[in-house]
Amino acid sequence: DAREVCRVLEQARERFFAAFSGIGMGTNRSDQPLIWMCFEGREAFDRYAASADRLQRTWLASYYSSRTNRVALIRSDFRSYPDWHAELTEQGGAETLRVAAAQDEMNVLPMPRTPERFAFARLTHELAHQLAFNSGLQARGVMYPFWVSEGLATNFEFEGPEALDSGICSTVRLRALLDAHAAGELVPLRRFLIEAHGPLDAGQSRRYYAQAWALFQFVLSER
């Protein structure tokens, strides 16, 4: 598993640097190894998050910390949600984990079917955060607007090996954006540009990530 994950991350790393060099943005490639912490279950993951980053128990199965410059994740294919009711469904050849909380429900990113067990989108999302802070694009210790940090990371969410090869990112954010637009739930741009944190509510968070994805993509491709 570790070897396969490393192979995916190395491919995604090359895609990351190619994307920015293609538009003339200089990036630095650090010679230092980038560290990932892998935990067998949620209990150990939560203890680490609270100790290393002062994070309280959340629905997250992975995160990047600019404080430690490390990614932490749960090994079990990102399917460990003991505090949530989770149901796997299949649509269009991909498995989707539908997670219901006490007050909300959201679609987690599509996960590859077996034997390709790894949640590529989550792996490459966290890697993009780490690379951004180790390439000169972002500086540790600086508070960036939500759309900058999460918009960058969501633009490097790949759904599988084929997407890595072609450079096509996840379509999940586009669907969430269209849903938010249809419901009139997009955040006004003047407010969205300066917000530093996304909401704690899972449903609202999904919309925020989608809007950050769209704004960053527009700036990257048009400006």
Side-chain angles (χ1 to χ4, degrees):
D1 285 358
R3 284 194 297 269
E4 180 63 15
V5 167
C6 287
R7 186 185 67 79
V8 170
L9 295 179
E10 289 294 347
Q11 283 184 276
R13 177 176 177 268
E14 292 306 312
R15 276 288 171 194
F16 180 92
F17 286 110
F20 288 104
S21 63
I23 59 172
M25 288 184 66
T27 52
N28 303 316
R29 293 183 180 237
S30 173
D31 293 331
Q32 298 299 315
L34 301 179
I35 298 173
W36 285 49
M37 306 289 290
C38 185
F39 297 91
E40 287 294 328
R42 174 160 295 279
E43 186 176 349
F45 173 84
D46 285 340
R47 282 200 306 268
Y48 170 82
S51 173
D53 295 294
R54 304 171 191 156
L55 293 179
Q56 298 304 312
R57 192 177 181 87
T58 71
W59 53 269
L60 293 174
S62 60
Y63 72 94
Y64 166 74
S65 166
S66 62
R67 174 187 175 90
T68 62
N69 198 28
R70 295 178 176 183
V71 173
L73 68 156
I74 300 173
R75 177 178 180 270
S76 55
D77 305 338
F78 304 99
R79 300 184 189 198
S80 294
Y81 294 87
D83 293 337
W84 297 56
H85 168 68
E87 178 184 0
L88 274 174
T89 58
E90 185 176 330
Q91 184 176 6
E95 289 180 348
T96 297
L97 183 65
R98 192 165 186 79
V99 182
Q103 298 178 340
D104 206 350
E105 190 176 65
M106 66 176 289
N107 284 320
V108 181
L109 290 172
M111 294 181 297
R113 301 176 62 182
T114 55
E116 295 171 351
R117 302 182 305 272
F118 303 108
F120 282 80
R122 289 187 178 276
L123 291 173
T124 54
H125 177 107
E126 304 303 352
L127 178 66
H129 278 311
Q130 192 176 46
L131 290 176
F133 281 94
N134 288 273
S135 63
L137 289 174
Q138 291 183 272
R140 293 169 63 190
V142 176
M143 177 63 72
Y144 291 91
F146 179 86
W147 76 269
V148 173
S149 295
E150 296 304 335
L152 186 153
T154 51
N155 269 271
F156 289 92
E157 292 172 344
F158 297 98
E159 293 178 346
E162 300 82 7
L164 273 171
D165 292 338
S166 64
I168 299 174
C169 291
S170 174
T171 58
V172 171
R173 301 303 182 187
L174 175 59
R175 291 197 295 272
L177 183 77
L178 294 174
D179 290 345
H181 180 266
E185 295 174 340
L186 291 177
V187 182
L189 189 59
R190 288 183 181 275
R191 184 179 121 206
F192 191 70
L193 283 170
I194 62 173
E195 290 203 2
H197 302 285
L200 296 177
D201 175 82
Q204 290 182 10
S205 179
R206 180 171 175 259
R207 295 190 290 271
Y208 264 63
Y209 275 82
Q211 191 166 344
W213 167 83
L215 178 58
F216 192 91
Q217 186 178 91
F218 172 75
V219 173
L220 186 68
S221 60
E222 302 293 334
R223 302 296 179 187

